[in-house]
Amino acid sequence: MNHILFTSLFLTILASFKLILFAFDQGPLFHLPSNLTRFICFTCLPIKLQQNPNSQNLVPKWVFGIKVAIYSLLLNFYCDNHNLPRVLRIGLRPVHMYLEFEIFLALIKFLVTITLGCDLEPQFNEPYLATSLQDFWGRRWNLMVSSNLRFAFHEIIHFYLTRDAPSWELTAYFVLNGVCTVVEMAVKRTKFGMRWQLRPVVSWLLTWGFIVSTGAFLFFDPLQYDRYDIRLT
């Protein structure tokens, strides 16, 4: 993951979809004050004005410090181990991607908050604590981007990163997770789902086992993520 991903995601895709929604009086840009600086920032960056400041669950600052430390250890680990076993690399990929996104977006939020003097919605809600697919995709993972790119073609990101023709594996990954999330929600509403509830630990293991296993072959391999692990080192 590098500058190509962030520029393609924010400037090419995210900004375009926000402007399309704005043209129809929809989306996060519609109710912004008539200030050019704010308009540019809220168009090009994955940020949104905080609607209910009192309802936000503040995470202690030391938690973010731990994330930065883990990310630094991962980078050093990649530098010293260029030929990691495939199983270990598959396990580290989701952690690496999440921490990179979390740190980068947190820095953007911090700078924009200081510059514009306004409170912003959080981009993540501790996704590693998700105990279901509905919890992960609906309430915890990359909230700003997912709320604006519900119908975006992720194959565009594939092209920007690899310069290869789309293989549609990324689309298959998100369609599969979407279908399984719908099925999960339907099962929860049945008598069986309401009567038999898994323990949080078991539910957490099943959720992350599914996300990591499907992501390993349908998300990271098409993006050739190994190349970006090496570039970062």
Side-chain angles (χ1 to χ4, degrees), residues 13 16 25 35 47-48 57 66 70-71 75 78 80 98 121 127 130 135 140 142 168 174 191-193 201 207 210 223:
I13 304 176
S16 298
D25 295 336
N35 182 299
I47 56 177
K48 182 180 179 182
N57 296 322
I66 292 177
I70 294 175
Y71 182 68
L75 292 184
Y78 287 143
D80 299 332
Y98 160 64
E121 294 282 356
D135 185 29
R140 293 186 180 275
N142 210 0
W168 303 107
F174 288 103
K191 292 182 178 180
F192 176 82
V201 174
T207 299
F210 179 83
L223 290 179

Side-chain angles (χ1 to χ4, degrees), residues 83-93 216-217 221 226:
N83 298 314
L84 293 174
R86 179 175 174 79
V87 175
L88 180 58
R89 190 172 284 275
I90 288 175
L92 292 176
R93 283 173 179 175
F217 301 102
D221 277 352
D226 289 346

Side-chain angles (χ1 to χ4, degrees), residues 133-134 137 173-187 210 214:
L133 294 177
Q134 180 186 7
W137 294 112
Y173 171 74
F174 288 103
V175 170
L176 175 62
N177 274 264
V179 171
C180 291
T181 301
V182 172
V183 172
E184 176 189 83
M185 295 169 61
V187 171
F210 179 83
T214 56

Side-chain angles (χ1 to χ4, degrees), residues 29-200:
L29 300 178
F30 181 57
H31 297 292
L32 284 179
S34 55
N35 182 299
L36 181 60
T37 301
R38 284 197 173 193
F39 185 83
I40 294 175
C41 290
F42 280 85
T43 299
C44 299
L45 300 174
I47 56 177
K48 182 180 179 182
L49 283 174
Q50 192 170 347
Q51 304 297 328
N52 300 308
N54 296 329
S55 64
Q56 181 181 356
N57 296 322
L58 296 177
V59 179
K61 295 181 179 180
W62 59 265
V63 174
F64 182 76
I66 292 177
K67 294 175 183 178
V68 174
I70 294 175
Y71 182 68
S72 300
L73 290 175
L74 275 178
L75 292 184
N76 292 328
F77 186 69
Y78 287 143
C79 288
D80 299 332
N81 301 275
H82 292 293
N83 298 314
L84 293 174
R86 179 175 174 79
V87 175
L88 180 58
R89 190 172 284 275
I90 288 175
L92 292 176
R93 283 173 179 175
V95 180
H96 182 187
M97 186 188 73
Y98 160 64
L99 291 176
E100 191 166 43
F101 260 108
E102 172 86 17
I103 294 171
F104 182 79
L105 295 178
L107 291 176
I108 290 178
K109 179 183 176 182
F110 175 74
L111 294 175
V112 173
T113 300
I114 294 178
T115 304
L116 301 182
C118 56
D119 294 325
L120 303 176
E121 294 282 356
Q123 290 95 347
F124 289 92
N125 184 20
E126 311 305 316
Y128 49 85
L129 298 178
T131 55
S132 68
L133 294 177
Q134 180 186 7
D135 185 29
F136 179 81
W137 294 112
R139 293 186 289 267
R140 293 186 180 275
W141 176 254
N142 210 0
L143 305 177
M144 295 300 99
V145 174
S146 61
S147 64
N148 291 283
L149 296 180
R150 295 181 187 275
F151 303 102
F153 293 99
H154 293 85
E155 302 299 331
I156 300 177
I157 301 177
H158 175 276
F159 173 76
Y160 269 91
L161 284 175
T162 65
R163 296 298 191 270
D164 295 331
S167 61
W168 303 107
E169 290 173 287
L170 288 181
T171 300
Y173 171 74
F174 288 103
V175 170
L176 175 62
N177 274 264
V179 171
C180 291
T181 301
V182 172
V183 172
E184 176 189 83
M185 295 169 61
V187 171
K188 286 180 179 179
R189 295 191 182 98
T190 63
K191 292 182 178 180
F192 176 82
M194 290 185 290
R195 178 178 299 180
W196 300 96
Q197 296 184 357
L198 297 175
R199 294 181 178 274

